[in-house]
Amino acid sequence: MTSSSVAMMTSFALLCLSIAIIECMAGILGNGIILAASSLSRTGSKTWPPYDMIVISLSSSRITLQCWIILDLFLTIFCEPSYFEENIFGFIKTGYMFLNCSSLWFGAWLSVFYCIKVASFTQSFFIWLKLRIARLVPWMLLTSWLCSFTTAIPFAWDVYSVHKNITAPSSMTNSSARTTTRNDSSGLLILLYNASVGMPLILSVASSVLLIRSLWIHARQMQNNASGFRDPSLEAHMKAIKSVCSLLIFYVTYYIAFTFLLFDLFLHFSTPKSICIAVMAACPTGHSIVLIWSNPKFRELPARIWQHINSSVRITSM
């Protein structure tokens, strides 16, 4: 670590960045389980169910994103002088923008898919979506990639001019200088940010609210019919709603932290910025844990691996 990094980074900020790296590693493991379980279940199959397509896209994008974040943090901490050169900084931030947007879009489509499959609305448009969701999912995912790519490319053109003051010595890098630079060149980034990140947020909130409403109506009907709450379909609905609600909570939290970082509101290596990075690293990891918990197929793979390890240990010890 360079002397300037040591001088600027507090012990608490360093702790937050270390926690972020650990959270990313845990997220890579969790999303790796989801990716492996979804891929193995489709081995030899010519068709992929829409849910598996969304989950595979989401988990693979998050694995890449979390690896990218770890690389970014290591370069920021240990290679600060060379990291803020135009080529390296632009490449890292552009790749991060693309992966971040695609991950958010895939998470939003997962919420939409839950809503369409689980909710029981009778409107003609909703029924049309329910009947055609399998054919729409590939186009939804392709659109997400294109939107993310469209967002990342202009960001690559502008990223250096937005952050060029960071290359100045730490004593000269103050908030007013960065604010002047940001005001001159962030108009396009604000528009792209609202389109690429705000739209998935709206989809997640809308689908979650609709799903909660549908589940509440279904529960009231069951209660009026004295059917109890042990119906397996209702239990499946409850797991789906918990997963969607957790995604929504993680999504909103991630959205807020990402907004602070994107508009460069905090000083480099400051405690608030390090906290935002740790929060952002925790959100995808937390949601992957919820997905594993709510899906028996995802829970089965770690159990089988653990059972295989125990069997191998017993055989070796005999």
Side-chain angles (χ1 to χ4, degrees), residues 35 65 93 143 147 276 297:
L35 179 61
L65 173 63
K93 294 306 178 184
T143 302
C147 288
C276 287
K297 179 174 67 176

Side-chain angles (χ1 to χ4, degrees), residues 41 46 64 70-71 97 103 110 122 143 161 168 181 185 194 224 226 242 261 265 283:
S41 64
K46 295 182 179 180
T64 310
I70 292 175
L71 175 63
M97 195 67 180
S103 177
L110 182 62
T122 57
T143 302
S161 63
T181 304
S185 56
N194 290 330
N224 293 335
K242 289 177 182 178
L261 292 180
L265 299 178
C283 290

Side-chain angles (χ1 to χ4, degrees), residues 88-147:
I88 298 177
F89 183 78
F91 175 75
I92 292 293
K93 294 306 178 184
T94 302
Y96 171 76
M97 195 67 180
F98 171 76
L99 295 170
N100 178 72
C101 291
S102 59
S103 177
L104 292 175
W105 272 107
F106 296 147
W109 291 134
L110 182 62
S111 297
V112 172
F113 180 81
Y114 275 137
C115 179
I116 293 174
K117 297 298 291 185
V118 175
S120 56
F121 297 111
T122 57
Q123 286 79 3
S124 58
F125 179 70
F126 190 84
I127 295 174
W128 182 86
L129 285 176
K130 189 181 287 286
L131 295 175
R132 291 166 175 81
I133 187 63
R135 285 180 289 177
L136 291 175
V137 164
W139 294 105
M140 291 158 58
L141 298 177
L142 179 60
T143 302
S144 301
W145 284 112
L146 292 176
C147 288

Side-chain angles (χ1 to χ4, degrees), residues 177-193:
R178 290 207 309 275
T179 301
T180 301
T181 304
R182 185 170 61 248
N183 290 336
D184 292 340
S185 56
S186 63
L188 178 60
L189 296 183
I190 293 174
L191 178 63
L192 290 174
Y193 173 75

